[in-house]
Amino acid sequence: MATPAVVLVLPCAPLAKPYSYTWPFARPAIAGQYVQIPLGNRIVLGVVWDTVGAPPAKGALKDVLRVFDELPPLPATLRTFLTWMADYTISPLGAVLKLSLSVPTAFDDPPKRGKTLSFPWPEGRSSPTTLSPTQQDAATVLTSSLGQFSPLVLDGVTGAGKTEVYSEAIAACLAQGQQAVVLLPEIALSAGMLERFRQRFGEGVTLWHSGLTPATRRETWKAIARGDVPLVIGARSALFLPYQSLGLVVVDEEHDSSYKQEDGVHYHARDMAVVRAREADCPVILVSATPALETITNIKHGRYTAVHLPDRHGSAVLPAVTLVDMRREVLPSGEWLSPTARQAITATLARDQQVLLFLNRRGYAPLTLCRSCGHRFECPNCSAWLVQHKQKKRLQCHHCGYHAPPPAQCPACKGEDTLTPCGPGVERIAEEAALAFPSAQLAVLSSDTMESPQDAAQLIEQVQQKQLSILVGTQVMAKGHHFPALTLVVVLDADVGLSGGDIRAAERTWQLLHQVAGRSGRGEWKGQVLLQTYIPDHPVMQTLAHHDRNGFLKTQLAERQATGFPPFGRLAALIIAAPDARRAEQTTQALARAMPLAKGLEVLGPAPAPLAYLKGQHRWRFLLKARKDFPIQRAIRDWLGAIKPESGVKIQVDIDPYSFL
DNA sequence: AGCACGCCGACT
DNA sequence: GTCGGCGTGCTC
């Protein structure tokens, strides 16, 4: 009588490693099989990580309870990817597995009734639009890379037809019977993008994001795992789906910082996408008009292959970018539209064309204070000001969700009617524009007015139907949309974002302003962009005005190289957070005493984190800056192993931090 | 992440 | 004398 086999199962719980279980079934275990196992005193989902396990040092083995055989096993290429990622991000392997098994009800039985989703594979693969010769050349490079790992960068200005070009590669991938995934930043606003893919590839195109209903989510997940879904358009979480036969990964707007996941497992979806593709042995296409410095450097070093699309497609040409020197403009306090901008708006409206006033600040005013005693309204849970929202009639924290109605009297001096808004938000700009251009139809487009995809779609529709002439928008307006009649973009405060010690501030500002500038003049008329700035001589402003991307990249790369920051060095952050200020500080001090000393590594801090109090947590931060070849993960693991955090203190590790908050 | 175990404050 | 608060630690 043979003894029952012992297998290693990774539970879907934040555990560092798989556990051993006995395999009580006659048929042998297969790596990747989904199983049900007892863990503690509950029953959880797990994945067979290895068909050969070993008894633990103490305690008895438990039996695997059930095998879910109706789906093919979690592919080996995904398992190796998850293992790599746990190691890279210093996260428990089981927590990373959870990203893939994001559908807790997938294996519930009896299987719920409801519509069965069907995802037809598209037939034929001809392009609905005719590609230009340069587009065709680019498409050929992408298409001929299918079948093995190759990191490609599709680099082309806004309007050059990048989507059409990479769609050719998707079509070829699907024609070979393999699945493709397209990652987009902020999927909720990408209904238009989905429509374009549906037109070409039919009903086999599926959205994947956090807003799906549980039933749709479950059925979609299962269909993907079976290999039945040809094309997934999704947010960064779509990278972890258990594609049965992944043949292509596309990361659109690869420079976008919303690809950086900042809670739970910290990761950058663009970088993870490259590794995912490497493990799946398929191409990954990074798409952008303004590739990240990291990406540019990877091209320079031959790690990535660039595919250029130099022209704007059709008649559209690049907009003229003019710097408005705000030091020379005369405007009364409480107003932000310069006389130069007002003139341009008047002229544009007279031509029956549309205007975008861009300000990356939600609400009415970023700060409210008492005019008699100077009291500032601050969030009780964060070291941040409360933002005044007139539409919603409240003061709101943009970090934790706290909000309160504006009080009738100042809580400090009890003065009546003394609250004064300070500084502009989009609502306030809309107010100013409505006064200045009373006959214009005007709307605010921000995450507050576009909360649901339906709201967003409705507003976008109104813009396209030309029912609106002045749009006042935050960065949600910078992305993707195609408004042929929009010919003037005014950036109210082009300098915002350049202050603060963020090493990527200039890069992000350049990318954002370039992207928002690209909203202008996408139709038959030439576009115009006005950048209101107090620092017109700044390299960011100068290179934007001259469409000099290479000049900008040169200044930035030189600066990063001189300082040893990424992409020329590695960065990691340790955030120490606790509700109790004293305990947070004590743990920080313990870490400081155990600080690693090594050649090629520099530890900066500890210092209070940029938001020293956030969501009720007192926060400290260390920054680790290392040479490119330095094993930063090992140093951090050793460091954390050397101390014991005070009770209630959490230490978060962020490899390759982006936001410095 | 759950969930139980454990050690200190107000109750019938 | 118990009920229950949630800090701490484990899960093959």
Side-chain angles (χ1 to χ4, degrees), chain A residues 601-620:
Chain A
L601 175 71
E602 200 182 337
V603 182
L604 311 166
L611 276 166
Y613 186 53
L614 179 69
K615 298 176 186 175
Q617 305 254 318
H618 298 272
R619 291 149 38 93
W620 290 81

Side-chain angles (χ1 to χ4, degrees), chain A residues 89 125 151 156 215 227 420 469 524 557 613 650:
Chain A
T89 60
R125 41 158 304 197
T420 312
S469 50
E524 52 188 301
L557 287 169
Y613 186 53
K650 283 182 305 201

